[in-house]
């Protein structure tokens, strides 16, 4: 029951962040196993229990944070466009020896690579490890070690497989390489908010339908899991949309992965010529919002808008 109580607290912890911005170690150390997913690990930062509470001076935080944390950047192998690539994310371990549940925390939407979990030096989602969990947060493809790839935003398969492959890499590292006395206890939770809510649901769906060797204990996600066609219908009833980056990122992603039309079929000029550069991972959110208009008919090709309204082109 304690795990499920803490899991609820952990989820509330993650949601508060968003508004502001079964393997164990082997007994035989001499047994060598081939790593199919794990590539490398390097230390990033450490926080004591006291310093972590100072970073997040929330009411009652001292009852929730029970240990300090050690965070690492972990690289691993995953597949993209029929090629094996190196992706990355963070792994955070409690600094106290023990057996802990493993938690996948999916990050929210980012546009600048410097905010990728493995690139940031701030314990955002990683702070959950202070509640008595081993936590991993994928950058997802297009950020961190795979920043040269355009991030496949809201793509089901690439989101899920990048997360699942990191799960396997984490277990290889903890089982074959880690010198830490923090080990997994066989329980596995999935959480996330905003894009992380979508990513968490996508990952659990993929595991449920395709993976036999991963058992998920519980899933708790918020926001993000939207019916995109219904959302588009509601957006098109208005003349403006306050955050056009949320519209542009999935449109460019789906066009590149599945449709392959000229961007002028989707966007008006001058935005069609600049749109991919705008979301290539090198600009902050505020910069993108300044580059893009919030008037829908100014940003998007009007023929496309009419077809969408008439349900002729989905």
């Amino acid at each position: 029951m304690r795990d499920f109580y803490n899991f609820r607290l952990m989820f509330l912890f993650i949601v508060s962040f968003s508004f502001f911005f079964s393997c164990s170690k082997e007994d035989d150390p001499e047994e060598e196993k081939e790593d199919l997913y794990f590539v490398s690990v390097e230390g990033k930062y450490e926080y004591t229990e006291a310093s972590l509470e100072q970073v997040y001076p929330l009411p009652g935080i001292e009852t929730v944070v029970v240990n300090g944390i050690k965070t690492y950047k972990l690289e691993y192998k995953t597949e993209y466009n029929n090629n094996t690539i190196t992706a990355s994310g963070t792994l955070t371990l409690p600094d106290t020896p023990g057996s802990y549940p493993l938690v996948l925390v999916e990050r929210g939407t980012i546009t600048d690579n410097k905010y990728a979990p493995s690139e940031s030096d701030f314990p955002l989602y990683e702070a959950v490890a202070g509640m008595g969990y081993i936590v991993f947060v994928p950058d997802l493809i297009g950020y961190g070690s795979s920043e040269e790839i355009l991030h496949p935003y809201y793509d089901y398969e690439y989101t899920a497989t990048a997360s699942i492959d990191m799960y396997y890499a984490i277990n290889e590292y903890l089982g074959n390489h880690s010198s830490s006395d923090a080990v997994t206890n066989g329980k596995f939770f999935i959480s996330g908010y905003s894009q992380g809510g979508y990513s968490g649901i996508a990952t659990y769906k993929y595991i449920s339908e395709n993976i036999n060797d991963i058992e998920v204990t519980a899933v708790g996600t918020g926001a993000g899991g939207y019916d995109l066609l219904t959302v588009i219908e509601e957006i098109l009833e208005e003349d403006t949309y306050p955050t056009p980056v949320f519209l542009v990122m999935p449109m460019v992603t789906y066009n590149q992965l599945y449709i392959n039309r000229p961007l002028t079929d989707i966007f008006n000029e001058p935005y069609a010529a600049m749109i991919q550069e705008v979301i290539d991972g090198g600009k902050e959110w505020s910069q993108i919002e300044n580059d893009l208009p919030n008037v829908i008919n100014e940003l998007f090709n009007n023929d496309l808008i009419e077809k969408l309204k008439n349900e002729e082109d989905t």
Side-chain angles (χ1 to χ4, degrees), residues 250-283:
M251 294 285 272
V252 173
T253 290
Y254 297 156
N255 184 64
Q256 176 168 298
L257 294 177
Y258 306 112
I259 303 169
N260 293 315
R261 292 185 187 177
L263 288 177
T264 49
D265 285 359
I266 304 173
F267 304 102
N268 291 325
E269 294 291 10
Y271 309 108
M274 61 182 282
I275 208 76
Q276 198 140 331
E277 179 183 346
V278 166
I279 61 169
D280 69 354
K283 290 191 175 184

Side-chain angles (χ1 to χ4, degrees), residues 33 40 42 74 85 147 203 205 232 236 268 277 285:
K33 292 187 176 181
S40 67
E42 63 177 281
L74 185 138
I85 65 168
E147 65 173 316
T203 301
K205 173 180 168 65
I232 288 293
L236 293 179
N268 291 325
E277 179 183 346
W285 191 279

Side-chain angles (χ1 to χ4, degrees), residues 99-308:
S99 182
Y100 300 94
L102 179 64
V103 182
L104 163 61
V105 180
E106 298 280 13
R107 60 156 181 78
T109 298
I110 58 175
T111 61
D112 193 322
N113 187 61
K114 69 183 180 184
Y115 296 119
S118 73
E119 298 294 323
S120 172
D121 289 325
F122 183 76
L124 187 57
Y125 312 101
E126 294 77 11
V128 171
M131 301 171 65
Y133 295 92
I134 294 174
V135 173
F136 70 101
V137 189
D139 293 328
L140 297 180
I141 295 170
Y143 293 103
S145 297
S146 60
E147 65 173 316
E148 75 281 356
I149 298 172
L150 184 68
H151 173 49
Y153 186 71
Y154 263 70
D155 179 76
Y156 164 57
E157 184 170 347
Y158 286 132
T159 296
T161 55
S163 302
I164 292 166
D165 289 346
M166 188 171 182
Y167 168 92
Y168 287 130
I170 294 295
N171 282 286
E172 287 180 349
Y173 171 70
L174 293 176
N176 302 341
H177 306 285
S178 175
S179 60
S180 171
D181 291 322
V183 298
T184 58
N185 66 5
K187 295 181 179 179
F188 176 42
F189 296 98
I190 298 175
S191 191
Y193 193 81
S194 187
Q195 183 187 358
Y198 168 82
S199 300
I201 293 170
T203 301
Y204 179 63
K205 173 180 168 65
Y206 195 95
I207 291 172
S208 300
E209 296 179 353
N210 300 282
I211 307 294
N212 296 320
D213 61 348
I214 299 178
E215 182 176 348
V216 178
T217 306
V219 179
T221 61
Y226 305 119
D227 177 345
L228 294 185
L229 291 180
T230 299
V231 171
I232 288 293
E233 290 176 3
E234 294 179 356
I235 290 172
L236 293 179
E237 291 177 358
E238 307 295 332
D239 294 327
T240 62
Y241 189 74
T243 51
V245 65
F246 278 136
L247 307 181
V248 167
M249 289 178 71
M251 294 285 272
V252 173
T253 290
Y254 297 156
N255 184 64
Q256 176 168 298
L257 294 177
Y258 306 112
I259 303 169
N260 293 315
R261 292 185 187 177
L263 288 177
T264 49
D265 285 359
I266 304 173
F267 304 102
N268 291 325
E269 294 291 10
Y271 309 108
M274 61 182 282
I275 208 76
Q276 198 140 331
E277 179 183 346
V278 166
I279 61 169
D280 69 354
K283 290 191 175 184
E284 295 200 25
W285 191 279
S286 59
Q287 290 178 285
I288 297 175
E289 292 297 302
N290 288 332
D291 288 339
L292 301 177
N294 61 9
V295 178
I296 292 174
N297 283 337
E298 184 180 342
L299 176 59
F300 289 99
N301 181 301
N302 293 171
D303 288 339
L304 174 66
I305 294 298
E306 288 305 311
K307 289 179 180 179
L308 288 173

